[in-house]
Amino acid sequence: MSDSAERIAVCGLCPHHCHLKEGAVGFCRARRNENGRVVSLNYGKLTSAALDPIEKKPLYHFHPGSFILSVGSFGCNLRCPFCQNYTISQAGADGFEGERLPTEQVTPREIAAAAQRLEETSGNIGVAFTYNEPLVGYEFVCDTAKLLKEKNLAVVLVTNGQIEKEPWGKLLPYVDAVNIDLKGVTQDFYSWLKGDLETTKAAISMAAANHVHVEVTTLVIPGKNDSPAEMEAEAEWLAGISPEIPLHLSRYFPRYHVNIPMTPYPTLKNLAAIAGRHLRFVHLGNV
């Protein structure tokens, strides 16, 4: 076996299972093979931080009316052509499309300390990992979550759920709440995004089974995932886990590479009525 072959590393974090030669960066742009080992390029590199209302995540049934320190980095393991945060989700360590990406380097201990200070001064309940796809920075999320739990602060993830079962299972004991994007209910739709439907469904099921508070968001895109039959299937599947899972149906607006006209409000209302036959809580977003 050649030296170059020996240095190939396989990333087992998400369904892409990137096979990386020495120095190569994965599909997510946030993980690289260094000396035969997959390492995080975005560990502690913040591109965004804000004290947000918990409802902005969106989480409507987890400490409503509270605030949460929300942090994001760069990278994502999907390629949603309609992404609203594409300048960070589709960025790598070298920036976005040739433009430098400003970051602030922090440690898990610094994030935990900041969350604790904000708890005392602003009623902060914990930390939400959000804005880009947080799970491509799995190691930083894990390290920080463990410290937050020691301080009795909440750990929240806003994620696409594209993570393999083993790492997800190891993280879930440190997670209090998730909002998981269920982009659609067909693999054809997920293939458009370069993702895997069953992986996200497994992430939702596992989170609920581990007694994590789960809410789900679906961005409704005209002509792509807005059929009544698909919404019926989605709501039935979620209700099979629990009819208490809140579903957020979010209005799409043209963004990034997609110029489809925005979702008509009557479409959202109709889909909400369908979902409401199976789920107790259905909320409309971006309206």
Side-chain angles (χ1 to χ4, degrees), residues 181-191 193 196-198 200-201 204 216-220 224-239 247 249 271 279:
D181 285 339
L182 182 56
K183 305 288 186 177
V185 291
T186 68
Q187 182 53 45
D188 281 348
F189 187 81
Y190 265 83
S191 294
L193 316 180
D196 181 71
L197 169 62
E198 292 304 319
T200 292
K201 290 172 71 174
I204 294 170
V216 171
T217 295
T218 298
L219 181 70
V220 178
K224 292 292 187 179
N225 64 347
D226 64 340
S227 76
E230 289 181 21
M231 183 49 57
E232 189 87 44
E234 177 173 338
E236 283 184 347
W237 180 79
L238 287 171
L247 174 62
L249 299 179
L271 295 180
L279 300 169

Side-chain angles (χ1 to χ4, degrees), residues 11 13 24-26 28-32 38-41 136 138-139:
C11 183
L13 185 62
V25 175
C28 65
R29 300 189 176 98
R31 305 177 72 77
R32 180 171 64 198
V38 178
V39 301
S40 172
L41 293 176
V136 300
Y138 180 83
E139 294 82 1

Side-chain angles (χ1 to χ4, degrees), residues 198-211:
E198 292 304 319
T199 299
T200 292
K201 290 172 71 174
I204 294 170
S205 297
M206 286 179 65
N210 280 269
H211 308 292

Side-chain angles (χ1 to χ4, degrees), residues 106-123:
V106 298
T107 66
R109 199 163 297 281
E110 287 171 335
I111 291 294
Q116 197 166 35
R117 288 195 301 272
L118 287 168
E119 179 188 27
E120 297 166 358
T121 61
S122 307

Side-chain angles (χ1 to χ4, degrees), residues 4-20:
S4 60
E6 290 174 357
R7 287 196 295 268
I8 289 176
V10 180
C11 183
L13 185 62
C14 88
H16 288 291
H17 295 154
C18 292
H19 285 61
L20 304 173

Side-chain angles (χ1 to χ4, degrees), residues 162-175:
Q162 290 289 288
I163 185 169
E164 292 288 26
K165 292 178 181 178
E166 183 177 356
W168 189 228
K170 290 179 179 178
L171 176 59
L172 284 173
Y174 303 100
V175 178

